Amino acid sequence: MTDLNKLGLSEARDLLRKGETTSKEITQACLKAIEGAGALNAFVHHTPEIAMERAAAADVRIKAGDAPAMCGLPIGIKDLFCTKGVPSQAASRILEGFKPEYESTVSQNLQDAGAVMLGKLNMDEFAMGSSNETSAYGNAVNPWRRAGEDTALTPGGSSGGSAAAVAADLCLAATGTDTGGSIRQPAAFTGTVGIKPTYGRCSRWGVVAFASSLDQAGPMTKSVRDAAIMLEAMCSYDPKDSTSADLAVPDFEAALTGDMRGKKIGIPKEYRMDGMPEEIAKLWDDGAAMLKDAGAQIVDISLPHTKYALPAYYVIAPAEASSNLARYDGVRYGHRATLAAGDGITEMYEKTRAEGFGTEVQRRVMVGTYVLSAGFYDAYYNRARRVRTLIKKDFDDVFAAGVDCILTPATPSAAFGLGEMIDADPIQMYLNDVFTVTVNLAGLPGIAVPTGTNSQGLPLGLQLIGRPWEEADLLSSAYSLERSAGFVAKADKWW
């Protein structure tokens, strides 16, 4: 069977169970695809030996009839997850050469489920970015191109390598992390599915921290069914993570009925922003019509504090980043600058961090340090925390009124060209997160589903936001939207 790398998780699982292919064959197909896709710069640390070893073990397990759903399925791991004995750099020069002696809980869960790790994936440095242009490895490139053009486009960020790899069929699925939209925005830019679960559903232990109260891991896949399968394998209660929720993990795949009868879908008026492109507005209206046709009731809702979400996020996230990144000082691990005669510890800190951190990370650390400083703590950080509480209350009130899911655009545009925004005002780049940051601030689950293309043939996605801990219901609604939209477009191969 050819093109095994083009399979989704559910299709590959079913073929493996029937004995029609092996994990080794699927893994070899993916490794071959990765070899020929250097132009995408999606995989940055290759682990073919580990992949083939795990594939062989998975084949034995499947033959014995003792195999979970993810067993034998080749996936990519975002470089933010610590993987034992494999470089885990968070796409930063400051962690060059760092090979952890431990495995993150999420990647361990996937390994225990029999998943096959193909390698580590590109990302924005320390997950700070919306375009995968802040990486120490260089830009990841979107496999999609505008019709009739060969401009290199962003795959989104920070999980850009994950999104590009899944969209280009280099792996069957990939892990991502989402602090302000870093799973959902790249998924929308690449025509893939990405879900950020409720904060606390996936363990953060062993995931390099950006903003600890916002970070959450999730899967990036080729379909909603695949997202359900992989999310279940990733989730667990973890006593090593104090924010991990001690809740049973449902069978997410079994919940995919797609039955929308009696469900209330909220459309927030605040998300209809001035200057919204006509294509995004139409996509949103079409999505609401699809869900209505499927039996849902569409209701207008208000989330009044939405307009304060971006400023609040860009105070809270850099504040937490400046605290988390203080540990990278050249003393314990990672990069240490070469010192001149007479340099002391202060000079070592300064030179190490100046050399090790990229421009965007430096910018956010400085913003974060400023808002946490004695004279500005109340004016910025405490005020942002109060706004965050109000944003969460907006969602609580809407859900208490009987709304099951909220439908919004995933991004304000389709994928843009590499270099088009990074060199402009950084605020323009931050505006890419306008529809996604509220979900992180409120700790809610959110999923991006591809539902159409723009006039240049690029994919566009819609976002569904669910009630806390109700990922199963959210996935079922996303499944209905996916079936109605019937999105099957793929990027034409140019790499």
Side-chain angles (χ1 to χ4, degrees), residues 46 85 101 104 125 148 186 191 196-197 212 216 286 388 419 475 483:
H46 300 262
E101 286 303 311
S104 78
E125 184 181 5
K196 179 205 92 73
S212 302
Q216 193 61 193
D286 289 350
R388 180 181 192 169
L475 282 158
R483 282 192 308 188

Side-chain angles (χ1 to χ4, degrees), residues 194-233:
I195 181 168
K196 179 205 92 73
T198 311
Y199 181 79
R201 180 64 94 178
C202 284
S203 170
R204 291 184 300 108
W205 194 85
V207 182
V208 178
F210 163 14
S212 302
S213 75
L214 300 163
D215 299 343
Q216 193 61 193
M220 303 188 74
T221 61
K222 299 177 188 180
S223 70
V224 172
R225 182 173 295 279
D226 289 359
I229 292 167
M230 188 166 172
L231 181 61
E232 187 179 340

Side-chain angles (χ1 to χ4, degrees), residues 126 128 179 204 207-215 316-329 332-333 353 357 361 365 369 372:
F126 282 105
M128 297 181 197
T179 305
R204 291 184 300 108
V207 182
V208 178
F210 163 14
S212 302
S213 75
L214 300 163
D215 299 343
I316 292 168
E320 295 187 11
S322 81
S323 175
N324 277 325
L325 270 59
R327 70 192 72 172
Y328 305 110
D329 52 17
R332 285 160 289 191
Y333 51 83
R353 290 165 72 81
F357 290 147
V361 171
V365 166
T369 306
L372 289 175

Side-chain angles (χ1 to χ4, degrees), residues 318-356:
E320 295 187 11
S322 81
S323 175
N324 277 325
L325 270 59
R327 70 192 72 172
Y328 305 110
D329 52 17
V331 175
R332 285 160 289 191
Y333 51 83
H335 175 73
R336 178 186 289 189
T338 304
L339 303 181
D343 281 351
I345 192 161
T346 303
E347 287 79 14
M348 188 197 72
Y349 285 166
E350 288 172 352
K351 288 181 179 179
T352 295
R353 290 165 72 81
E355 288 175 15

Side-chain angles (χ1 to χ4, degrees), residues 232-265:
E232 187 179 340
M234 290 172 71
C235 293
S236 66
Y237 168 62
D238 183 7
K240 295 196 292 289
D241 173 6
S242 63
T243 61
S244 174
D246 191 0
L247 291 172
V249 180
D251 183 336
F252 292 129
E253 188 182 8
L256 297 180
T257 62
D259 187 358
M260 297 303 294
R261 289 170 300 179
K263 282 194 181 176
K264 258 193 200 179
I265 306 295

Side-chain angles (χ1 to χ4, degrees), residues 88-90 92-98 126 208 328 333-335 356:
S88 304
Q89 228 178 294
S92 180
R93 282 186 293 277
I94 209 158
L95 276 173
E96 205 162 351
F98 176 55
F126 282 105
V208 178
Y328 305 110
Y333 51 83
H335 175 73

